[in-house]
Amino acid sequence: MTKQFPKGFLWGGATAANQFEGAYQEGGKGLNLADVLPGGKARLQLLSQTGFDFEIDKSTYSYPNHEGIDFYHRYKEDIALFAEMGFKVFRMSIAWSRIFPNGDELEPSEEGLAFYDRVFDELNKHGIEPLVTIAHYETPLHLIKEYGGWRNRELVGFFERYVRTIFTRYKDKVKYWLTFNEINGATHMPLFGLGFSPESEETRLQDSFQGLHHQFVASAQAVKIGHEIIPGSQIGCMLLYAPVYSFDSNPNNVMHARQESDIFNFFCGDVQVRGEYPYFANRYFKENNIELDIQEGDLETIKEGTVDFISFSYYMSRTDKKEKTPEELGAGNLIGGVKNPFLKASDWGWEIDPVGLRIALNELYGRYQKPLMVVENGLGAYDKVEEDGSIQDDYRIDYLREHIEQMGEAIEDGVDLIGYTSWGCIDLVSASSGEYSKRYGFIYVDKHDDGSGTLERKRKKSFFWYKDVISSNGENL
Ligand code: BGP
């Protein structure tokens, strides 16, 4: 039986500026992290390596984020397609370096601000609510190179100036905001969220948690400032959520899985939702030689700036085992874990687990009792254009259907779920692998890993399916 989605449920899709805008040097934009990340295998290696120099080397690598899918120039056409599907909400990010090209200027760039005015006006014209991520893996490069990224306390002040600027400018246009994308991914991949490449494995955890502390303060300040400037605004956190299963019923494995989940899934949420460091933080810090520089007033700021709702990405669960051999490791799950014998994986090795989404929703709601929004979920897959020009992506429809069904179950369980924006509603550049060929969209974009392609947009089979899902408010799956 199909479960009922609440009236006014926010159906839509999600993107990030750096993965689809392109125009990396237009409109006065400064360089940011994504502009120096190469495409393809080289990027995956970078994420786990130490000591990256943040230089562009076009003779050796390609840089797909530079062109993205050219949303910068094609936003009207793309937003019209989202409207055709019936989107109620569209998740996008503002590229900080369009507003403050270096990140540390005193005055914003009018050209950058005007671009997002045009995008918000276009969304508004179609009755689509924007949901804006303030920081989505796109720290201005200058802040990375000159200041060392979020390890440096000074970024808290620069970020404050940035959020004040955008809240003031867009106060009549944007109600829903998210502070830091997948904030808890930081300890695994500090490069993305914190904008630094660890000097060594020994310093990685210490620097990551210090960077996270700075982001906690910056996020809490943003919530407070947002509420002051935009009455009625809804400001959420954004977590990378992966339920952790114990490999078996050995209590030592169960305890280990629980600890992994506490540190990975709940640590940041506890700070941002409850306004305090979790009870297990002290022991964890002690055992990992982490000493945080917490300044006077920080803990009060964190307490006063708790979020209004919780958003998260969900792609997979993680199966944990205390002692594991290299052969047992899951192939593509960036967040680690061993293979789960009950699950199949995508072409990139990400295990597909729709029930895990219901578990995630129940775990988060059980702990926090705040409204939830799934702001990323989807299947990265190779798509083929048939001779008649159609794209028959039934595998994507199956994936999404099964996940949406589980959301319905969670709502029936009593979870307060307010929206769903599937990831990459239009094909874009993959974050972890820098590929065009890892496609998530309802809309196909003719652009390929070798740089070829016309950028023409085409509706996939899933486009029509999702349109029907939205117009029936989740009844027709
Ligand atoms: C999340 C990011 C997105 C995104 C998505 C899919 O971690 O927030 O930016 O791209 O994952 O990952 P990928 O692009 O690596 O397939």
Side-chain angles (χ1 to χ4, degrees):
M1 194 192 82
T2 316
K3 303 290 183 296
Q4 290 267 311
F5 281 82
K7 212 169 149 263
F9 189 79
L10 293 166
W11 296 99
T15 57
N18 72 87
Q19 292 171 254
F20 86 146
E21 278 181 5
Y24 83 116
Q25 283 180 315
E26 279 179 63
K29 178 181 161 293
L31 293 178
N32 64 25
L33 170 74
D35 295 322
V36 299
L37 297 182
K41 294 216 163 43
R43 180 173 310 192
L44 273 173
Q45 270 162 15
L46 263 189
L47 292 177
S48 49
Q49 141 193 335
T50 52
F52 172 49
D53 61 6
F54 299 99
E55 296 297 337
I56 294 177
D57 173 6
K58 285 195 179 168
S59 60
T60 317
Y61 304 114
S62 66
Y63 292 88
N65 299 65
H66 291 184
E67 193 182 354
I69 56 155
D70 197 31
F71 176 80
Y72 188 80
H73 296 109
R74 294 165 196 251
Y75 65 94
K76 285 192 181 170
E77 180 191 349
D78 293 341
I79 291 171
L81 286 165
F82 301 150
E84 191 182 324
M85 274 187 279
F87 277 22
K88 313 284 179 218
V89 65
F90 175 56
R91 178 177 176 228
M92 52 180 274
S93 69
I94 292 180
W96 185 351
S97 69
R98 283 202 188 280
I99 311 300
F100 289 95
N102 284 328
D104 61 357
E105 296 91 338
L106 295 176
E107 296 301 326
S109 149
E110 176 52 35
E111 236 185 316
L113 287 166
F115 168 65
Y116 293 106
D117 266 325
R118 294 197 291 279
V119 173
F120 296 143
D121 290 345
E122 197 64 22
L123 287 167
N124 191 330
K125 193 172 105 189
H126 290 283
I128 301 174
E129 188 89 51
L131 164 65
V132 175
T133 318
I134 300 171
H136 193 131
Y137 298 164
E138 45 213 359
T139 306
L141 193 61
H142 178 74
L143 298 185
I144 291 175
K145 286 180 142 182
E146 298 304 315
Y147 295 86
W150 278 95
R151 285 173 294 187
N152 190 325
R153 173 97 195 179
E154 283 198 77
L155 267 74
V156 177
F158 301 142
F159 189 77
E160 183 184 341
R161 192 175 302 141
Y162 164 51
V163 299
R164 266 187 201 287
T165 305
I166 57 176
F167 285 156
T168 306
R169 176 76 170 220
Y170 306 124
K171 64 176 188 303
D172 299 322
K173 301 184 182 184
V174 182
K175 179 178 159 203
Y176 290 99
W177 301 86
L178 306 175
T179 55
F180 292 94
N181 182 60
E182 295 188 332
I183 188 166
N184 58 315
T187 52
H188 282 252
M189 294 169 283
L191 185 68
F192 269 158
L194 296 172
F196 77 88
S197 175
E199 267 122 41
S200 67
E201 273 315 306
E202 288 70 55
T203 58
R204 188 173 62 88
L205 269 189
Q206 163 69 34
D207 285 347
S208 299
F209 275 96
Q210 187 62 54
L212 269 180
H213 178 71
H214 295 149
Q215 291 194 336
F216 293 149
V217 175
S219 172
Q221 275 179 356
V223 174
K224 280 171 69 181
I225 296 167
H227 288 161
E228 278 159 29
I229 299 179
I230 318 176
S233 54
Q234 293 289 308
I235 306 175
C237 58
M238 198 306 197
L239 306 171
L240 192 183
Y241 200 93
V244 184
Y245 306 151
S246 174
F247 179 74
D248 58 20
S249 54
N250 176 341
N252 290 322
N253 283 335
V254 176
M255 188 63 213
H256 191 262
R258 193 196 152 93
Q259 286 173 326
E260 288 291 307
S261 184
D262 278 346
I263 289 296
F264 189 76
N265 287 319
F266 295 122
F267 192 102
C268 294
D270 282 6
V271 179
Q272 295 186 289
V273 182
R274 293 175 163 165
E276 38 192 68
Y277 273 88
Y279 72 91
F280 50 82
N282 278 342
R283 177 169 184 177
Y284 180 79
F285 285 162
K286 218 184 292 162
E287 290 181 353
N288 289 283
N289 302 318
I290 296 165
E291 276 183 45
L292 290 192
D293 176 12
I294 298 181
Q295 296 192 4
E296 216 189 311
D298 283 359
L299 297 180
E300 289 73 20
T301 303
I302 286 172
K303 191 79 202 170
E304 289 162 10
T306 55
V307 293
D308 302 311
F309 67 99
I310 299 157
S311 80
F312 65 101
S313 62
Y314 176 76
Y315 292 93
M316 58 201 141
S317 53
R318 162 173 162 196
T319 301
D320 182 71
K321 197 175 179 195
K322 198 171 177 197
E323 314 284 345
K324 44 192 167 286
T325 60
E327 299 77 55
E328 290 173 313
L329 290 176
N333 284 14
L334 292 173
I335 45 179
V338 298
K339 280 190 199 106
N340 184 326
F342 300 97
L343 300 177
K344 292 205 179 79
S346 77
D347 287 339
W348 277 262
W350 293 18
E351 285 177 341
I352 300 170
D353 180 10
V355 176
L357 177 54
R358 179 179 177 189
I359 296 170
L361 286 160
N362 275 278
E363 286 182 348
L364 280 166
Y365 196 65
R367 193 172 181 108
Y368 300 123
Q369 267 102 49
K370 287 262 181 197
L372 302 179
M373 214 190 279
V374 177
V375 295
E376 281 188 34
N377 169 240
L379 179 69
Y382 296 107
D383 288 336
K384 182 166 162 260
V385 182
E386 305 293 337
E387 274 178 19
D388 64 1
S390 67
I391 296 116
Q392 304 292 325
D393 57 342
D394 294 275
Y395 37 89
R396 181 167 296 109
I397 296 174
D398 291 343
Y399 177 102
L400 294 170
R401 177 193 300 115
E402 287 169 16
H403 283 79
I404 294 173
E405 272 168 3
Q406 293 301 322
M407 295 191 321
E409 294 291 341
I411 291 170
E412 194 79 2
D413 293 334
V415 169
D416 182 10
L417 177 64
I418 59 172
Y420 176 75
T421 57
S422 71
W423 175 252
C425 46
I426 181 165
D427 291 348
L428 37 64
V429 179
S430 141
S432 60
S433 67
E435 293 165 301
Y436 283 109
S437 49
K438 191 179 187 187
R439 297 174 182 274
Y440 286 87
F442 303 115
I443 302 163
Y444 181 89
V445 178
D446 181 38
K447 188 74 190 165
H448 308 280
D449 291 336
D450 62 4
S452 67
T454 61
L455 291 168
E456 187 202 341
R457 276 62 169 152
K458 280 180 197 291
R459 296 164 184 80
K460 302 183 193 176
K461 184 173 180 185
S462 57
F463 180 101
F464 302 101
W465 172 81
Y466 196 49
K467 183 178 179 194
D468 194 31
V469 172
I470 298 178
S471 68
S472 64
N473 197 28
E475 287 224 353
N476 299 347
L477 289 173

